[in-house]
Amino acid sequence: MNRLSQVSDGNGFLADGLNFSAYMDARVLAATTAKVHTIPAGARSVRFTGTIPFWINFGGAAVIPAADVTDGTASILILTDRLYAIPATATTIGIIASAICTVTMEFYK
């Protein structure tokens, strides 16, 4: 697992992109079936990418909302690739999608 860093061009200027993480996991999700993924030791950031939109929850199971959630416990909807800092107390990531989906997670230290 590599440190999170931004790509630089030949002149040393920062470019739009991230360096390769060297630690990537993938989860194949069945429709509406939650999975819980263990965060690797030393990981501080994770970039999510999926074949369709999906929901995540750090530290617990992810849930697709069926009604309003107004108490701060809703899962996060991921529509496109997204980078998140991993909360210090989280050891797992809950993942769920409404249809068959493949999710990749690139972990960085």
Side-chain angles (χ1 to χ4, degrees):
M1 183 180 333
N2 293 325
R3 291 192 180 280
L4 178 63
S5 60
Q6 200 169 359
V7 175
S8 58
D9 65 18
N11 295 316
F13 295 104
L14 294 179
D16 186 23
L18 300 174
N19 285 318
F20 180 66
S21 73
Y23 194 113
M24 186 171 324
D25 289 336
R27 288 292 189 149
V28 178
L29 306 174
T32 68
T33 303
K35 288 192 176 181
V36 176
H37 189 80
T38 301
I39 297 168
R44 300 190 59 182
S45 302
V46 57
R47 187 180 109 168
F48 296 97
T49 306
T51 55
I52 65 168
F54 59 96
W55 286 261
I56 64 161
N57 188 13
F58 287 101
V63 177
I64 299 171
D68 292 347
V69 179
T70 59
D71 63 356
T73 63
S75 297
I76 302 165
L77 176 61
I78 308 292
L79 296 173
T80 183
D81 70 287
R82 184 69 54 151
L83 177 69
Y84 281 95
I86 297 171
T89 57
T91 58
T92 61
I93 303 166
I95 312 165
I96 193 168
S98 59
I100 296 170
C101 176
T102 301
V103 173
T104 60
M105 294 164 280
E106 297 173 77
F107 290 95
Y108 296 90
K109 27 177 168 171

